Amino acid sequence: MKFKYLILSAALGLASFSGALALETPKNSTEFSVVENDPATVIANYIKAVGGKDKVNAIKNAKMVMEASIQGQVLELSSIADAENSRMIQTTSMGGNVLQKTMFVNGKAQVMAGGQVQELPDETAAMLKPQTFVFPEERYEEMGFTLAYAGVEQIDGEDVHVLDITAPVGILTKEYYSVATGLKVRTSSDATGEINYSDYQEVDGILFPMTLSIKNPMLPVPMEAKIKSIEFNTALTDSDFQ
């Protein structure tokens, strides 16, 4: 059972500040143009769709709390992403007890679970750096990720652009962006399974999903997680990352 909690924690961690937004079409939206085989254009349209480059770049940090239910047990995942100081922390708890804590600070990462602390190799730690940003997409290449356009598919009858995002360590993640709205609608990978996004609400001028649906072969049924709170640009201290 604990292993399943850790799988869910990893999936929620990926979703927390991946900038994956919006399945619904905003009012008065127009279809965005895309240059075929150009991931940069897909991502630029996405940033425009979620609120614009200025608003996205104004986000220096974010704090978020999510809840998910697994076999009758409620899990809480709290996350802090601090792009300004390149650090992040995620804590997964159940019934007030911490099951797992993951931190990325000063370029180093560690996972604490079951009373043990494991320092992660630098290659693995680098995988957490994108999670210091709420919207890391425009920074993928500078962080060593390789982007490739993989064509157009359909999700629930909607055409989506598919991008292959390959991490420096070789892990492949697929990201799906609506052709009509420019918005990201899904992420999927062998490591964390499939994550879909819905119930979008505006937070300080930025669209953000309030419900995440997670499918993973290690989980008995698809998992639903709901965002309970999210705040941008709060006052942070070093004690928040301990």
Side-chain angles (χ1 to χ4, degrees), residues 124-195:
T124 306
M127 292 291 294
L128 295 177
K129 188 173 182 179
Q131 294 184 40
T132 65
F133 299 95
V134 178
F135 297 94
E137 290 77 14
E138 288 188 307
R139 299 175 173 86
Y140 280 155
E141 290 186 331
E142 70 183 61
M143 289 187 286
F145 291 74
T146 301
L147 283 65
Y149 185 77
V152 175
E153 297 182 11
Q154 281 202 339
I155 295 178
D156 297 330
E158 179 181 18
D159 287 342
V160 295
H161 297 292
V162 185
L163 298 187
D164 287 343
I165 315 295
T166 304
V169 295
I171 296 176
L172 173 65
T173 298
K174 288 184 174 291
E175 296 187 344
Y176 302 81
Y177 296 80
S178 168
V179 171
T181 68
L183 297 166
K184 189 188 296 186
V185 300
R186 175 183 292 173
T187 60
S188 66
S189 73
D190 291 340
T192 58
E194 179 184 289
I195 305 170

Side-chain angles (χ1 to χ4, degrees), residues 31-201:
E31 185 165 328
F32 289 93
S33 63
V34 60
V35 178
E36 189 174 1
N37 301 326
D38 182 11
T41 300
V42 177
I43 289 174
N45 286 341
Y46 164 60
I47 295 299
K48 181 179 179 180
V50 299
K53 195 178 185 72
D54 289 345
K55 288 182 179 178
V56 167
N57 290 340
I59 300 174
K60 304 303 181 183
N61 65 62
K63 299 176 72 174
M64 184 173 69
V65 176
M66 285 194 293
E67 285 186 356
S69 178
I70 177 171
Q71 295 185 345
Q73 302 292 328
V74 177
L75 295 180
E76 181 180 275
L77 180 83
S78 60
S79 303
I80 303 176
D82 183 7
E84 191 170 33
N85 297 290
S86 192
R87 57 187 178 174
M88 57 76 67
I89 185 170
Q90 296 166 356
T91 304
T92 304
S93 306
M94 183 177 66
N97 298 314
V98 175
L99 299 177
Q100 178 176 318
K101 185 181 291 186
T102 303
M103 290 190 296
F104 177 82
V105 179
N106 296 325
K108 301 294 183 181
Q110 62 179 209
V111 176
M112 291 165 279
Q116 297 182 331
V117 178
Q118 180 182 1
E119 302 291 335
L120 301 181
D122 289 345
E123 298 81 6
T124 306
M127 292 291 294
L128 295 177
K129 188 173 182 179
Q131 294 184 40
T132 65
F133 299 95
V134 178
F135 297 94
E137 290 77 14
E138 288 188 307
R139 299 175 173 86
Y140 280 155
E141 290 186 331
E142 70 183 61
M143 289 187 286
F145 291 74
T146 301
L147 283 65
Y149 185 77
V152 175
E153 297 182 11
Q154 281 202 339
I155 295 178
D156 297 330
E158 179 181 18
D159 287 342
V160 295
H161 297 292
V162 185
L163 298 187
D164 287 343
I165 315 295
T166 304
V169 295
I171 296 176
L172 173 65
T173 298
K174 288 184 174 291
E175 296 187 344
Y176 302 81
Y177 296 80
S178 168
V179 171
T181 68
L183 297 166
K184 189 188 296 186
V185 300
R186 175 183 292 173
T187 60
S188 66
S189 73
D190 291 340
T192 58
E194 179 184 289
I195 305 170
N196 294 278
Y197 310 88
S198 60
D199 186 23
Y200 300 94
Q201 300 177 25

